[in-house]
Amino acid sequence: MIFERFGITPIINAYGTNTRLSAGPLSDEVAEAMRAAATASVDILDLQAAACREITRATGAEAGFVTAGASAALLLAAAACMARLDAGAMNRLPSTREGRCEFLISRSQRNMYDRAIETAGGRLVDVGIPDRVSGAGVRDASAAEFADAITPRTAGILHVAQPHAEPPLPGIARVAREAGIPLIVDAAAQLPPAANLRRFIAEGADLVAFSGGKAMGGPQASGILAGRGALVASALAQMLDLDLPEAQFRAPAEFPALSQLAFFPRTGIGRSCKVGREEVMGLLVALQRFTSEDAATRQARWQARLDAVRQASGLVFEEAMAGEVPLLLLRCVDAPAVEARLRAGTPAVHVNPARLRDGMLTINPISLHERDCARLGQLLRAALAD
Protein backbone atom coordinates (compact mmCIF):
# COMPACT_ATOMS: atom_id res chain seq x y z
CA MET A 1 0.00 0.00 0.00
CA ILE A 2 1.25 3.49 -0.91
CA PHE A 3 1.13 4.75 2.71
CA GLU A 4 3.86 2.35 3.85
CA ARG A 5 6.17 3.84 1.24
CA PHE A 6 6.20 7.02 3.32
CA GLY A 7 6.23 5.37 6.72
CA ILE A 8 2.51 5.74 7.44
CA THR A 9 0.51 2.90 8.98
CA PRO A 10 -3.18 2.84 7.94
CA ILE A 11 -5.76 2.77 10.70
CA ILE A 12 -9.04 0.87 11.07
CA ASN A 13 -11.75 3.49 10.91
CA ALA A 14 -14.86 2.40 12.82
CA TYR A 15 -15.57 6.01 13.79
CA GLY A 16 -17.38 7.10 10.62
CA THR A 17 -16.86 9.82 8.03
CA ASN A 18 -14.59 11.88 10.24
CA THR A 19 -12.31 14.31 8.37
CA ARG A 20 -9.49 13.88 10.87
CA LEU A 21 -9.47 10.17 10.05
CA SER A 22 -9.71 10.77 6.27
CA ALA A 23 -13.26 9.33 6.06
CA GLY A 24 -13.78 6.06 4.20
CA PRO A 25 -12.38 4.17 1.23
CA LEU A 26 -13.49 5.25 -2.22
CA SER A 27 -15.29 2.82 -4.45
CA ASP A 28 -13.28 1.46 -7.37
CA GLU A 29 -15.50 3.43 -9.76
CA VAL A 30 -14.90 6.76 -7.99
CA ALA A 31 -11.15 6.12 -7.65
CA GLU A 32 -10.91 5.21 -11.33
CA ALA A 33 -12.82 8.38 -12.31
CA MET A 34 -10.29 10.46 -10.41
CA ARG A 35 -7.35 8.61 -11.92
CA ALA A 36 -8.74 9.02 -15.44
CA ALA A 37 -9.46 12.72 -14.87
CA ALA A 38 -5.83 13.27 -13.95
CA THR A 39 -4.66 12.19 -17.40
CA ALA A 40 -6.06 15.16 -19.39
CA SER A 41 -6.57 18.92 -19.10
CA VAL A 42 -9.97 20.59 -19.36
CA ASP A 43 -11.41 24.08 -18.96
CA ILE A 44 -12.50 24.18 -15.32
CA LEU A 45 -15.51 26.37 -16.11
CA ASP A 46 -16.69 23.80 -18.67
CA LEU A 47 -16.16 21.11 -16.06
CA GLN A 48 -18.18 23.01 -13.47
CA ALA A 49 -20.92 23.55 -16.06
CA ALA A 50 -21.12 19.79 -16.52
CA ALA A 51 -21.16 19.41 -12.73
CA CYS A 52 -24.02 21.93 -12.59
CA ARG A 53 -26.11 19.75 -14.89
CA GLU A 54 -25.64 16.72 -12.67
CA ILE A 55 -26.18 18.64 -9.44
CA THR A 56 -29.37 20.32 -10.61
CA ARG A 57 -30.77 16.94 -11.65
CA ALA A 58 -30.02 15.54 -8.22
CA THR A 59 -31.11 18.51 -6.10
CA GLY A 60 -33.78 20.37 -8.05
CA ALA A 61 -31.80 23.58 -7.57
CA GLU A 62 -31.37 26.21 -10.28
CA ALA A 63 -27.60 25.76 -10.28
CA GLY A 64 -24.74 24.16 -8.40
CA PHE A 65 -21.06 23.37 -8.55
CA VAL A 66 -18.42 21.25 -6.84
CA THR A 67 -16.49 22.79 -3.96
CA ALA A 68 -13.50 21.74 -1.87
CA GLY A 69 -15.74 20.43 0.90
CA ALA A 70 -18.83 21.69 2.74
CA SER A 71 -16.89 24.32 4.71
CA ALA A 72 -15.65 25.81 1.44
CA ALA A 73 -19.25 25.80 0.21
CA LEU A 74 -20.34 27.77 3.30
CA LEU A 75 -17.55 30.31 2.86
CA LEU A 76 -18.49 30.81 -0.79
CA ALA A 77 -22.19 30.98 0.08
CA ALA A 78 -21.53 33.77 2.58
CA ALA A 79 -19.41 35.64 0.05
CA ALA A 80 -22.21 35.35 -2.50
CA CYS A 81 -24.80 36.70 -0.07
CA MET A 82 -22.62 39.71 0.76
CA ALA A 83 -21.34 40.59 -2.73
CA ARG A 84 -24.11 39.24 -4.98
CA LEU A 85 -23.00 40.03 -8.58
CA ASP A 86 -21.17 43.23 -7.68
CA ALA A 87 -17.56 42.73 -8.78
CA GLY A 88 -16.42 45.68 -6.69
CA ALA A 89 -17.98 44.18 -3.59
CA MET A 90 -16.25 40.88 -4.40
CA ASN A 91 -12.93 42.71 -4.52
CA ARG A 92 -13.51 44.34 -1.14
CA LEU A 93 -14.33 41.17 0.79
CA PRO A 94 -13.76 40.44 3.64
CA SER A 95 -14.64 44.15 4.07
CA THR A 96 -18.09 45.42 3.14
CA ARG A 97 -18.65 49.03 2.16
CA GLU A 98 -22.41 49.04 2.71
CA GLY A 99 -22.24 47.00 5.88
CA ARG A 100 -24.48 44.07 4.83
CA CYS A 101 -22.34 41.47 6.53
CA GLU A 102 -24.43 39.95 9.35
CA PHE A 103 -25.81 36.41 9.28
CA LEU A 104 -28.50 35.39 11.73
CA ILE A 105 -28.21 31.95 13.32
CA SER A 106 -30.11 30.21 16.07
CA ARG A 107 -27.93 30.21 19.19
CA SER A 108 -28.62 26.49 19.64
CA GLN A 109 -27.08 25.80 16.20
CA ARG A 110 -23.69 27.42 16.78
CA ASN A 111 -20.87 25.00 15.96
CA MET A 112 -17.20 24.73 15.06
CA TYR A 113 -17.85 24.97 11.33
CA ASP A 114 -19.81 28.23 11.20
CA ARG A 115 -16.48 30.05 11.25
CA ALA A 116 -16.54 29.63 7.47
CA ILE A 117 -19.06 32.49 7.40
CA GLU A 118 -16.68 34.73 9.37
CA THR A 119 -13.75 33.78 7.15
CA ALA A 120 -15.58 35.32 4.20
CA GLY A 121 -16.06 38.55 6.16
CA GLY A 122 -19.45 37.81 7.67
CA ARG A 123 -20.45 38.30 11.30
CA LEU A 124 -22.72 35.80 13.03
CA VAL A 125 -25.57 37.17 15.12
CA ASP A 126 -27.12 34.73 17.59
CA VAL A 127 -30.90 34.56 17.88
CA GLY A 128 -32.91 33.02 20.72
CA ILE A 129 -32.15 31.32 24.01
CA PRO A 130 -31.46 27.55 23.70
CA ASP A 131 -33.03 26.51 26.99
CA ARG A 132 -34.11 23.14 25.58
CA VAL A 133 -30.46 22.34 24.80
CA SER A 134 -28.95 23.66 28.03
CA GLY A 135 -31.60 21.94 30.15
CA ALA A 136 -32.81 25.20 31.66
CA GLY A 137 -36.23 25.02 30.00
CA VAL A 138 -38.06 24.07 26.83
CA ARG A 139 -37.74 27.11 24.56
CA ASP A 140 -35.54 27.81 21.57
CA ALA A 141 -35.41 30.49 18.91
CA SER A 142 -38.61 31.14 16.95
CA ALA A 143 -39.17 32.32 13.39
CA ALA A 144 -40.70 35.52 14.78
CA GLU A 145 -37.49 36.25 16.69
CA PHE A 146 -35.54 35.89 13.45
CA ALA A 147 -37.87 38.36 11.76
CA ASP A 148 -37.36 40.80 14.64
CA ALA A 149 -33.55 40.44 14.43
CA ILE A 150 -33.29 41.49 10.76
CA THR A 151 -31.66 44.89 10.21
CA PRO A 152 -30.20 46.75 7.21
CA ARG A 153 -26.91 44.99 8.02
CA THR A 154 -28.39 41.51 7.62
CA ALA A 155 -26.87 39.70 4.65
CA GLY A 156 -28.49 36.31 5.20
CA ILE A 157 -29.63 33.59 7.57
CA LEU A 158 -27.67 30.42 8.33
CA HIS A 159 -29.63 27.29 9.25
CA VAL A 160 -27.79 24.16 10.37
CA ALA A 161 -29.86 21.17 9.28
CA GLN A 162 -30.40 18.62 12.03
CA PRO A 163 -33.43 16.40 12.71
CA HIS A 164 -34.53 18.54 15.68
CA ALA A 165 -33.22 21.95 14.58
CA GLU A 166 -35.23 24.93 15.76
CA PRO A 167 -36.89 26.86 14.32
CA PRO A 168 -37.98 24.45 11.56
CA LEU A 169 -36.65 25.33 8.12
CA PRO A 170 -39.97 26.21 6.41
CA GLY A 171 -40.69 28.92 8.98
CA ILE A 172 -37.22 30.42 8.63
CA ALA A 173 -37.58 30.29 4.84
CA ARG A 174 -40.78 32.36 5.00
CA VAL A 175 -39.03 34.99 7.12
CA ALA A 176 -36.08 35.15 4.73
CA ARG A 177 -38.31 35.35 1.67
CA GLU A 178 -40.46 38.13 3.10
CA ALA A 179 -37.36 40.11 4.06
CA GLY A 180 -35.67 39.50 0.70
CA ILE A 181 -32.53 37.99 2.22
CA PRO A 182 -30.89 34.66 1.31
CA LEU A 183 -31.16 31.55 3.47
CA ILE A 184 -28.10 29.26 3.63
CA VAL A 185 -28.53 25.68 4.83
CA ASP A 186 -25.54 23.77 6.18
CA ALA A 187 -26.48 20.19 5.29
CA ALA A 188 -22.93 18.84 5.33
CA ALA A 189 -23.77 15.59 7.12
CA GLN A 190 -27.44 15.24 6.16
CA LEU A 191 -26.98 12.35 3.73
CA PRO A 192 -28.50 9.80 3.84
CA PRO A 193 -31.40 9.86 3.18
CA ALA A 194 -30.91 10.69 -0.50
CA ALA A 195 -34.20 12.61 -0.38
CA ASN A 196 -32.37 15.34 1.54
CA LEU A 197 -30.59 16.30 -1.68
CA ARG A 198 -33.91 17.88 -2.72
CA ARG A 199 -35.59 18.51 0.62
CA PHE A 200 -33.88 21.73 1.69
CA ILE A 201 -34.28 23.45 -1.67
CA ALA A 202 -37.92 22.37 -1.72
CA GLU A 203 -38.42 23.83 1.76
CA GLY A 204 -37.15 27.24 0.71
CA ALA A 205 -33.36 27.32 1.04
CA ASP A 206 -31.54 29.68 -1.32
CA LEU A 207 -28.18 27.92 -0.95
CA VAL A 208 -27.39 24.46 0.41
CA ALA A 209 -23.96 23.03 1.28
CA PHE A 210 -23.36 19.26 1.23
CA SER A 211 -20.21 17.30 2.00
CA GLY A 212 -19.05 15.00 -0.77
CA GLY A 213 -16.70 12.94 1.38
CA LYS A 214 -19.20 11.49 3.82
CA ALA A 215 -21.98 9.01 3.02
CA MET A 216 -22.13 10.19 -0.59
CA GLY A 217 -18.83 8.38 -1.08
CA GLY A 218 -16.95 11.11 -2.93
CA PRO A 219 -13.42 12.45 -2.42
CA GLN A 220 -12.82 13.74 1.10
CA ALA A 221 -11.93 17.22 -0.19
CA SER A 222 -15.17 17.69 -2.13
CA GLY A 223 -18.59 19.14 -1.57
CA ILE A 224 -21.57 20.72 -3.29
CA LEU A 225 -23.05 24.22 -3.23
CA ALA A 226 -26.49 24.31 -4.84
CA GLY A 227 -29.28 26.85 -4.98
CA ARG A 228 -30.47 29.99 -6.72
CA GLY A 229 -28.72 30.65 -10.01
CA ALA A 230 -27.51 34.21 -9.35
CA LEU A 231 -26.15 33.37 -5.91
CA VAL A 232 -24.42 30.22 -7.16
CA ALA A 233 -22.86 32.22 -10.00
CA SER A 234 -21.56 34.80 -7.52
CA ALA A 235 -20.04 32.07 -5.37
CA LEU A 236 -18.44 30.42 -8.41
CA ALA A 237 -16.98 33.70 -9.65
CA GLN A 238 -15.26 34.17 -6.30
CA MET A 239 -13.56 30.77 -6.60
CA LEU A 240 -12.74 30.58 -10.31
CA ASP A 241 -9.46 31.49 -11.95
CA LEU A 242 -10.58 34.45 -14.12
CA ASP A 243 -7.09 35.35 -15.30
CA LEU A 244 -7.95 35.72 -18.99
CA PRO A 245 -8.79 38.60 -21.35
CA GLU A 246 -12.40 39.57 -20.68
CA ALA A 247 -13.17 39.44 -24.41
CA GLN A 248 -12.48 35.71 -24.37
CA PHE A 249 -14.99 34.97 -21.60
CA ARG A 250 -18.34 33.40 -22.40
CA ALA A 251 -20.74 32.62 -19.58
CA PRO A 252 -21.94 29.01 -19.92
CA ALA A 253 -25.66 28.42 -20.29
CA GLU A 254 -25.58 26.79 -16.85
CA PHE A 255 -24.34 30.04 -15.21
CA PRO A 256 -25.93 32.87 -17.24
CA ALA A 257 -25.70 35.32 -14.33
CA LEU A 258 -21.92 35.45 -14.79
CA SER A 259 -22.56 37.69 -17.80
CA GLN A 260 -23.97 40.33 -15.41
CA LEU A 261 -20.56 41.07 -13.91
CA ALA A 262 -19.58 44.65 -14.82
CA PHE A 263 -15.94 43.58 -14.84
CA PHE A 264 -13.87 40.61 -13.74
CA PRO A 265 -13.15 40.65 -10.01
CA ARG A 266 -9.63 40.05 -8.80
CA THR A 267 -8.76 36.58 -7.56
CA GLY A 268 -11.63 36.05 -5.16
CA ILE A 269 -11.79 35.44 -1.44
CA GLY A 270 -12.71 31.86 -2.30
CA ARG A 271 -9.59 31.16 -4.33
CA SER A 272 -8.20 28.96 -1.54
CA CYS A 273 -11.36 26.87 -1.91
CA LYS A 274 -10.53 25.85 -5.47
CA VAL A 275 -11.23 22.27 -6.48
CA GLY A 276 -9.35 20.21 -9.06
CA ARG A 277 -10.60 18.16 -12.00
CA GLU A 278 -9.98 14.94 -10.05
CA GLU A 279 -12.25 15.94 -7.17
CA VAL A 280 -14.96 17.21 -9.53
CA MET A 281 -15.10 13.98 -11.51
CA GLY A 282 -14.86 11.80 -8.41
CA LEU A 283 -17.71 13.72 -6.79
CA LEU A 284 -19.92 13.48 -9.88
CA VAL A 285 -19.47 9.72 -10.15
CA ALA A 286 -20.11 9.36 -6.42
CA LEU A 287 -23.26 11.49 -6.72
CA GLN A 288 -24.55 9.32 -9.55
CA ARG A 289 -23.85 6.17 -7.55
CA PHE A 290 -25.48 7.57 -4.42
CA THR A 291 -28.66 8.68 -6.16
CA SER A 292 -29.04 5.46 -8.16
CA GLU A 293 -28.62 3.11 -5.18
CA ASP A 294 -31.70 2.45 -3.06
CA ALA A 295 -31.51 2.87 0.69
CA ALA A 296 -32.08 -0.83 1.41
CA THR A 297 -29.08 -1.87 -0.70
CA ARG A 298 -26.85 0.72 0.94
CA GLN A 299 -28.01 -0.29 4.40
CA ALA A 300 -27.48 -3.99 3.67
CA ARG A 301 -23.88 -3.30 2.66
CA TRP A 302 -23.22 -1.48 5.92
CA GLN A 303 -24.99 -4.18 7.93
CA ALA A 304 -22.84 -6.89 6.32
CA ARG A 305 -19.72 -5.13 7.61
CA LEU A 306 -21.13 -5.05 11.14
CA ASP A 307 -22.13 -8.70 10.94
CA ALA A 308 -18.55 -9.59 9.99
CA VAL A 309 -17.25 -7.65 13.00
CA ARG A 310 -19.72 -9.37 15.30
CA GLN A 311 -18.89 -12.84 13.99
CA ALA A 312 -15.13 -12.37 14.27
CA SER A 313 -15.33 -10.92 17.78
CA GLY A 314 -17.64 -13.44 19.45
CA LEU A 315 -18.87 -10.53 21.59
CA VAL A 316 -22.40 -9.47 22.47
CA PHE A 317 -23.34 -6.11 20.98
CA GLU A 318 -26.35 -3.87 21.20
CA GLU A 319 -27.76 -2.43 18.00
CA ALA A 320 -28.82 1.09 17.16
CA MET A 321 -29.60 3.27 14.15
CA ALA A 322 -28.33 6.73 13.26
CA GLY A 323 -30.85 7.67 10.63
CA GLU A 324 -30.34 5.03 7.93
CA VAL A 325 -26.95 3.92 9.31
CA PRO A 326 -26.87 0.75 11.47
CA LEU A 327 -24.51 0.84 14.45
CA LEU A 328 -23.06 -1.64 16.92
CA LEU A 329 -22.80 -0.62 20.57
CA LEU A 330 -20.39 -2.47 22.85
CA ARG A 331 -20.95 -2.00 26.56
CA CYS A 332 -17.70 -1.95 28.59
CA VAL A 333 -16.85 -1.67 32.27
CA ASP A 334 -14.23 1.00 31.52
CA ALA A 335 -15.03 2.22 28.01
CA PRO A 336 -12.51 5.11 27.96
CA ALA A 337 -9.64 2.76 28.84
CA VAL A 338 -10.70 0.20 26.22
CA GLU A 339 -11.00 2.94 23.60
CA ALA A 340 -7.52 4.20 24.51
CA ARG A 341 -6.04 0.70 24.14
CA LEU A 342 -7.64 0.37 20.71
CA ARG A 343 -6.14 3.68 19.56
CA ALA A 344 -2.72 2.72 20.91
CA GLY A 345 -2.59 -0.58 19.04
CA THR A 346 -1.11 -1.51 15.69
CA PRO A 347 -3.07 -0.93 13.62
CA ALA A 348 -4.77 1.82 15.58
CA VAL A 349 -8.52 1.35 15.84
CA HIS A 350 -10.76 4.39 16.06
CA VAL A 351 -14.34 3.99 17.25
CA ASN A 352 -16.92 6.71 17.74
CA PRO A 353 -16.44 8.14 21.27
CA ALA A 354 -19.82 9.87 21.49
CA ARG A 355 -21.14 7.47 24.16
CA LEU A 356 -18.00 6.71 26.13
CA ARG A 357 -19.51 8.40 29.18
CA ASP A 358 -22.36 5.90 28.95
CA GLY A 359 -19.88 3.02 28.94
CA MET A 360 -20.37 2.34 25.23
CA LEU A 361 -18.06 1.94 22.25
CA THR A 362 -19.86 2.80 19.00
CA ILE A 363 -18.96 1.01 15.76
CA ASN A 364 -19.99 2.88 12.60
CA PRO A 365 -19.66 0.89 9.34
CA ILE A 366 -19.57 3.69 6.74
CA SER A 367 -15.79 4.10 6.69
CA LEU A 368 -14.91 0.48 7.42
CA HIS A 369 -13.21 -1.40 4.62
CA GLU A 370 -14.45 -4.97 4.19
CA ARG A 371 -10.90 -6.25 4.58
CA ASP A 372 -10.72 -4.74 8.09
CA CYS A 373 -13.96 -6.11 9.55
CA ALA A 374 -12.66 -9.45 10.84
CA ARG A 375 -9.50 -7.84 12.19
CA LEU A 376 -11.57 -5.23 13.99
CA GLY A 377 -13.61 -7.94 15.68
CA GLN A 378 -10.45 -9.67 16.89
CA LEU A 379 -8.95 -6.43 18.19
CA LEU A 380 -12.13 -5.54 20.07
CA ARG A 381 -12.07 -8.91 21.82
CA ALA A 382 -8.38 -8.51 22.68
CA ALA A 383 -8.87 -4.97 24.03
CA LEU A 384 -11.64 -6.18 26.36
CA ALA A 385 -9.44 -9.04 27.60
CA ASP A 386 -6.53 -6.77 28.61
Side-chain angles (χ1 to χ4, degrees):
M1 189 176 289
I2 188 63
F3 292 112
E4 281 86 348
R5 177 177 170 183
F6 296 96
I8 303 165
T9 302
I11 65 170
I12 294 179
N13 184 359
Y15 189 123
T17 55
N18 181 278
T19 299
R20 176 175 58 85
L21 301 177
S22 68
L26 297 178
S27 70
D28 291 343
E29 187 178 359
V30 171
E32 173 55 26
M34 296 181 72
R35 188 207 65 78
T39 65
S41 296
V42 294
D43 186 308
I44 292 295
L45 184 54
D46 289 342
L47 186 60
Q48 289 286 16
C52 181
R53 295 192 292 272
E54 293 298 323
I55 290 168
T56 55
R57 274 196 285 269
T59 64
E62 292 178 6
F65 64 94
V66 179
T67 69
S71 182
L74 290 177
L75 187 157
L76 293 165
C81 292
M82 289 186 287
R84 305 295 179 98
L85 289 165
D86 183 336
M90 293 179 184
N91 284 345
R92 287 187 288 275
L93 288 179
S95 298
T96 53
R97 177 183 290 171
E98 295 79 17
R100 292 180 67 91
C101 64
E102 294 181 350
F103 291 82
L104 307 182
I105 181 172
S106 176
R107 187 174 274 109
S108 64
Q109 296 180 17
R110 292 302 305 268
N111 62 85
M112 294 188 297
Y113 305 106
D114 58 31
R115 192 170 186 181
I117 304 296
E118 297 174 322
T119 304
R123 187 170 77 84
L124 291 161
V125 176
D126 296 348
V127 178
I129 297 295
D131 280 359
R132 71 182 178 96
V133 177
S134 67
V138 298
R139 292 179 54 185
D140 204 325
S142 69
E145 286 178 292
F146 272 83
D148 181 66
I150 294 171
T151 75
R153 293 178 60 82
T154 304
I157 296 175
L158 175 62
H159 178 84
V160 182
Q162 294 289 344
H164 304 293
E166 293 288 343
L169 180 58
I172 291 292
R174 283 193 296 272
V175 169
R177 186 167 56 251
E178 290 169 3
I181 58 174
L183 170 60
I184 303 169
V185 172
D186 177 355
Q190 295 308 303
L191 300 173
N196 278 355
L197 284 166
R198 291 181 170 269
R199 172 190 161 194
F200 306 113
I201 294 293
E203 290 186 354
D206 297 292
L207 290 167
V208 182
F210 293 104
S211 173
K214 298 188 187 300
M216 194 185 301
Q220 178 65 2
S222 70
I224 289 173
L225 181 64
R228 281 172 40 198
L231 288 171
V232 169
S234 173
L236 182 62
Q238 297 184 73
M239 183 185 79
L240 283 175
D241 178 358
L242 294 175
D243 185 20
L244 76 163
E246 292 189 20
Q248 294 182 12
F249 181 80
R250 296 291 183 273
E254 293 78 8
F255 305 111
L258 289 175
S259 63
Q260 297 177 34
L261 292 170
F263 57 89
F264 276 4
R266 297 193 301 269
T267 298
I269 196 167
R271 179 60 173 162
S272 60
C273 301
K274 72 177 183 179
V275 63
R277 59 198 171 182
E278 300 87 355
E279 286 78 20
V280 174
M281 293 309 303
L283 185 282
L284 294 185
V285 171
L287 179 61
Q288 289 180 339
R289 285 171 54 86
F290 183 76
T291 55
S292 64
E293 184 177 53
D294 64 87
T297 300
R298 189 160 45 241
Q299 193 173 84
R301 182 172 66 254
W302 291 333
Q303 186 62 55
R305 295 174 189 172
L306 296 180
D307 291 343
V309 173
R310 188 200 308 268
Q311 182 177 359
S313 72
L315 300 172
V316 177
F317 293 88
E318 299 175 30
E319 298 180 356
M321 295 292 295
E324 292 184 359
V325 183
L327 305 173
L328 288 182
L329 305 178
L330 181 60
R331 192 176 295 277
C332 307
V333 173
D334 190 353
V338 175
E339 189 268 346
R341 286 198 291 272
L342 288 166
R343 282 189 290 106
T346 303
V349 173
H350 291 260
V351 299
N352 192 310
R355 297 191 60 183
L356 284 181
R357 291 182 180 178
D358 300 328
M360 292 282 197
L361 304 182
T362 304
I363 312 300
N364 185 312
I366 295 183
S367 297
L368 263 178
H369 197 289
E370 280 77 6
R371 66 171 175 260
D372 291 330
C373 293
R375 182 65 174 145
L376 172 59
Q378 296 163 2
L379 291 171
L380 287 169
R381 185 176 65 242
L384 285 179
D386 285 349

